[in-house]
Short mmCIF file of all heavy atoms in Angstrom, two decimals:
data_model
loop_
_atom_site.label_atom_id
_atom_site.label_comp_id
_atom_site.label_asym_id
_atom_site.label_seq_id
_atom_site.Cartn_x
_atom_site.Cartn_y
_atom_site.Cartn_z
N PRO A 136 15.91 0.90 21.95
CA PRO A 136 14.90 1.45 21.06
C PRO A 136 15.18 2.87 20.52
O PRO A 136 15.88 3.51 21.27
CB PRO A 136 13.66 1.46 21.94
CG PRO A 136 13.80 0.55 22.95
CD PRO A 136 15.21 0.69 23.27
N ILE A 137 14.87 3.06 19.29
CA ILE A 137 15.08 4.38 18.56
C ILE A 137 13.79 5.07 18.19
O ILE A 137 12.69 4.42 17.84
CB ILE A 137 16.02 4.25 17.49
CG1 ILE A 137 15.43 3.21 16.41
CG2 ILE A 137 17.56 3.95 17.87
CD1 ILE A 137 16.36 3.05 15.12
N SER A 138 13.85 6.31 18.35
CA SER A 138 12.50 7.13 18.27
C SER A 138 12.41 7.74 16.90
O SER A 138 13.46 8.16 16.23
CB SER A 138 12.58 8.31 19.27
OG SER A 138 11.41 9.11 19.08
N PHE A 139 11.24 7.94 16.34
CA PHE A 139 11.00 8.61 15.06
C PHE A 139 11.25 10.10 15.30
O PHE A 139 11.78 10.82 14.46
CB PHE A 139 9.54 8.46 14.62
CG PHE A 139 9.33 7.13 13.87
CD1 PHE A 139 8.64 6.04 14.53
CD2 PHE A 139 9.78 6.92 12.63
CE1 PHE A 139 8.49 4.92 13.81
CE2 PHE A 139 9.60 5.82 11.94
CZ PHE A 139 8.90 4.77 12.55
N GLY A 140 10.77 10.67 16.55
CA GLY A 140 10.95 12.10 16.80
C GLY A 140 9.68 12.71 17.30
O GLY A 140 8.57 12.05 17.15
N PRO A 141 9.70 13.96 17.64
CA PRO A 141 8.60 14.61 18.18
C PRO A 141 7.54 14.90 17.19
O PRO A 141 6.41 15.21 17.49
CB PRO A 141 9.08 16.04 18.79
CG PRO A 141 10.51 16.04 18.06
CD PRO A 141 11.01 14.71 17.79
N HIS A 142 7.88 14.86 15.77
CA HIS A 142 6.87 15.04 14.82
C HIS A 142 5.78 14.17 14.84
O HIS A 142 4.61 14.37 14.34
CB HIS A 142 7.55 15.11 13.51
CG HIS A 142 8.20 13.83 13.05
ND1 HIS A 142 9.33 13.38 13.47
CD2 HIS A 142 7.75 12.83 12.21
CE1 HIS A 142 9.70 12.15 12.95
NE2 HIS A 142 8.69 11.87 12.29
N MET A 143 5.84 12.94 15.48
CA MET A 143 4.86 12.04 15.51
C MET A 143 3.51 12.53 16.29
O MET A 143 2.51 12.17 15.95
CB MET A 143 5.26 10.73 16.07
CG MET A 143 6.44 9.97 15.15
SD MET A 143 6.03 9.90 13.44
CE MET A 143 4.78 8.67 13.58
N SER A 144 3.76 13.35 17.15
CA SER A 144 2.67 13.85 17.92
C SER A 144 1.91 14.87 16.98
O SER A 144 0.63 14.91 17.24
CB SER A 144 3.09 14.69 19.18
OG SER A 144 3.99 15.81 18.83
N ARG A 145 2.49 15.50 15.94
CA ARG A 145 1.66 16.21 15.19
C ARG A 145 0.97 15.48 14.15
O ARG A 145 -0.26 15.90 13.94
CB ARG A 145 2.74 17.24 14.39
CG ARG A 145 3.64 18.24 15.11
CD ARG A 145 2.90 19.61 15.31
NE ARG A 145 2.83 20.17 14.00
CZ ARG A 145 3.66 20.96 13.52
NH1 ARG A 145 4.74 21.28 14.09
NH2 ARG A 145 3.38 21.53 12.33
N LEU A 146 1.43 14.31 13.81
CA LEU A 146 0.74 13.56 12.84
C LEU A 146 -0.50 12.91 13.60
O LEU A 146 -1.50 12.68 13.09
CB LEU A 146 1.64 12.41 12.40
CG LEU A 146 2.31 12.69 11.13
CD1 LEU A 146 3.24 13.89 11.18
CD2 LEU A 146 3.11 11.47 10.48
N LEU A 147 -0.25 12.55 14.94
CA LEU A 147 -1.40 12.05 15.77
C LEU A 147 -2.58 13.15 15.81
O LEU A 147 -3.57 12.82 15.69
CB LEU A 147 -0.88 11.74 17.15
CG LEU A 147 -1.93 11.29 18.24
CD1 LEU A 147 -2.63 9.89 17.63
CD2 LEU A 147 -1.28 11.06 19.59
N ARG A 148 -2.14 14.28 16.04
CA ARG A 148 -3.28 15.30 16.24
C ARG A 148 -3.89 15.47 14.79
O ARG A 148 -5.13 15.60 14.80
CB ARG A 148 -2.62 16.62 16.69
CG ARG A 148 -2.24 16.67 18.07
CD ARG A 148 -1.95 18.12 18.62
NE ARG A 148 -0.85 18.77 17.82
CZ ARG A 148 0.36 18.69 18.30
NH1 ARG A 148 0.67 18.07 19.34
NH2 ARG A 148 1.33 19.34 17.69
N ALA A 149 -3.14 15.44 13.68
CA ALA A 149 -3.87 15.67 12.38
C ALA A 149 -4.70 14.44 12.11
O ALA A 149 -5.76 14.64 11.61
CB ALA A 149 -2.66 15.66 11.28
N ALA A 150 -4.28 13.25 12.47
CA ALA A 150 -5.27 12.05 12.27
C ALA A 150 -6.54 12.13 13.15
O ALA A 150 -7.65 11.98 12.65
CB ALA A 150 -4.49 10.85 12.52
N ARG A 151 -6.36 12.55 14.25
CA ARG A 151 -7.44 12.74 15.27
C ARG A 151 -8.49 13.80 14.74
O ARG A 151 -9.68 13.68 14.97
CB ARG A 151 -7.05 12.94 16.61
CG ARG A 151 -6.50 11.72 17.44
CD ARG A 151 -5.95 12.07 18.74
NE ARG A 151 -5.59 10.87 19.55
CZ ARG A 151 -4.94 10.95 20.68
NH1 ARG A 151 -4.67 12.19 21.32
NH2 ARG A 151 -4.72 9.96 21.48
N ALA A 152 -7.91 14.86 14.22
CA ALA A 152 -8.79 15.93 13.70
C ALA A 152 -9.84 15.47 12.65
O ALA A 152 -10.83 16.11 12.36
CB ALA A 152 -7.98 17.05 13.20
N THR A 153 -9.57 14.31 11.91
CA THR A 153 -10.46 13.82 11.06
C THR A 153 -11.57 12.94 11.69
O THR A 153 -12.58 12.50 11.00
CB THR A 153 -9.75 12.86 9.93
OG1 THR A 153 -9.29 11.76 10.53
CG2 THR A 153 -8.52 13.63 9.38
N GLY A 154 -11.57 12.73 13.07
CA GLY A 154 -12.60 11.97 13.67
C GLY A 154 -12.20 10.48 13.86
O GLY A 154 -12.98 9.73 14.44
N ILE A 155 -11.10 9.95 13.31
CA ILE A 155 -10.78 8.72 13.50
C ILE A 155 -10.16 8.34 14.80
O ILE A 155 -9.65 9.27 15.58
CB ILE A 155 -9.73 8.27 12.34
CG1 ILE A 155 -9.68 6.84 12.13
CG2 ILE A 155 -8.36 8.69 12.79
CD1 ILE A 155 -8.88 6.41 10.87
N ASP A 156 -10.24 7.10 15.28
CA ASP A 156 -9.80 6.67 16.65
C ASP A 156 -8.25 6.46 16.36
O ASP A 156 -7.81 5.40 15.81
CB ASP A 156 -10.45 5.47 17.07
CG ASP A 156 -9.83 4.99 18.48
OD1 ASP A 156 -9.00 5.68 19.04
OD2 ASP A 156 -10.44 3.99 18.98
N ALA A 157 -7.31 7.33 16.75
CA ALA A 157 -5.83 7.27 16.54
C ALA A 157 -5.26 7.41 17.91
O ALA A 157 -5.68 8.31 18.79
CB ALA A 157 -5.44 8.29 15.58
N ARG A 158 -4.21 6.56 18.20
CA ARG A 158 -3.60 6.56 19.43
C ARG A 158 -2.15 6.44 19.27
O ARG A 158 -1.71 5.65 18.31
CB ARG A 158 -4.16 5.39 20.30
CG ARG A 158 -5.70 5.38 20.50
CD ARG A 158 -6.15 4.19 21.31
NE ARG A 158 -7.58 3.95 21.02
CZ ARG A 158 -8.18 2.90 21.72
NH1 ARG A 158 -7.53 2.21 22.51
NH2 ARG A 158 -9.43 2.75 21.38
N ALA A 159 -1.33 7.00 20.12
CA ALA A 159 0.19 6.90 20.06
C ALA A 159 0.52 5.40 20.59
O ALA A 159 -0.19 4.84 21.42
CB ALA A 159 0.82 7.82 20.92
N SER A 160 1.63 4.85 19.99
CA SER A 160 1.97 3.53 20.37
C SER A 160 3.60 3.52 20.59
O SER A 160 4.26 4.14 19.78
CB SER A 160 1.71 2.49 19.37
OG SER A 160 2.32 1.35 19.43
N ARG A 161 4.07 2.85 21.51
CA ARG A 161 5.40 2.75 21.84
C ARG A 161 5.91 1.35 21.45
O ARG A 161 7.01 0.93 21.69
CB ARG A 161 5.79 3.02 23.27
CG ARG A 161 5.53 4.44 23.68
CD ARG A 161 5.86 4.78 25.16
NE ARG A 161 6.99 4.12 25.71
CZ ARG A 161 8.30 4.57 25.63
NH1 ARG A 161 8.31 5.87 24.92
NH2 ARG A 161 9.23 4.04 26.20
N ASP A 162 5.08 0.53 20.94
CA ASP A 162 5.42 -0.91 20.62
C ASP A 162 4.96 -1.15 19.25
O ASP A 162 3.71 -1.56 19.03
CB ASP A 162 4.72 -1.78 21.62
CG ASP A 162 5.19 -3.36 21.51
OD1 ASP A 162 5.93 -3.63 20.46
OD2 ASP A 162 4.80 -4.09 22.32
#
Side-chain angles (χ1 to χ4, degrees):
I137 51 179
S138 172
F139 279 105
H142 61 281
M143 298 307 294
S144 62
R145 298 272 296 270
L146 269 61
L147 176 61
R148 289 196 296 270
R151 284 177 170 172
T153 68
I155 203 168
D156 183 1
R158 310 177 197 180
S160 168
R161 290 173 51 83
D162 187 351

